[in-house]
């Protein structure tokens, strides 16, 4: 069985990268908003002294998601800059 490699048109690749960049940018903003909201919740004193605030676990997950989203955004940004730099004139 032979495999056939097909080249994706440059404009299609750029459009796809720009769409991914926009999507991940929105994801980063959503994560940042969630982290800020949870930060506000964690600033409040716990309902029971010494108890772990319920928002603590959510904050850990939200920060992890934010770090991952920022890493994806950085990777896509590098790919996009590279692709835009190789545009035919």
């Amino acid at each position: 069985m032979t495999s056939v490699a097909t080249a994706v048109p440059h404009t299609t690749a750029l459009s796809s990268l720009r769409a991914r960049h926009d999507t991940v940018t929105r994801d980063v903003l959503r994560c940042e908003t969630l982290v800020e909201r949870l930060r506000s919740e964690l600033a409040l004193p716990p309902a029971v002294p010494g108890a772990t605030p319920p928002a603590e676990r959510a904050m850990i997950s939200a920060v992890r998601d934010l770090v991952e989203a920022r890493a994806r955004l950085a990777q896509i940004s590098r790919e996009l800059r590279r692709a835009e730099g190789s545009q035919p004139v």
Side-chain angles (χ1 to χ4, degrees), residues 13-28 68-84:
L14 276 175
S15 295
S16 175
L17 281 171
R18 287 180 181 133
R20 283 178 51 211
H21 186 273
D22 292 346
T23 299
V24 175
T25 298
R26 284 191 300 275
D27 193 34
V28 167
E68 290 171 358
R70 284 181 175 167
R72 282 193 314 272
L73 183 59
Q75 177 63 35
I76 292 168
S77 295
R78 284 190 298 273
E79 291 175 24
L80 186 56
R81 280 193 306 273
R82 205 171 18 250
E84 288 173 339

Side-chain angles (χ1 to χ4, degrees), residues 7-74:
V8 175
H10 190 73
T11 54
T12 303
L14 276 175
S15 295
S16 175
L17 281 171
R18 287 180 181 133
R20 283 178 51 211
H21 186 273
D22 292 346
T23 299
V24 175
T25 298
R26 284 191 300 275
D27 193 34
V28 167
L29 293 173
R30 182 190 57 78
C31 290
E32 289 173 342
T33 301
L34 179 58
V35 167
E36 287 305 314
R37 184 179 58 78
L38 291 169
R39 181 177 289 148
S40 298
E41 288 180 28
L42 286 170
L44 300 173
V48 178
T52 301
E56 190 172 314
R57 282 197 179 127
M59 175 63 108
I60 292 167
S61 293
V63 169
R64 183 190 62 235
D65 292 346
L66 177 58
V67 168
E68 290 171 358
R70 284 181 175 167
R72 282 193 314 272
L73 183 59

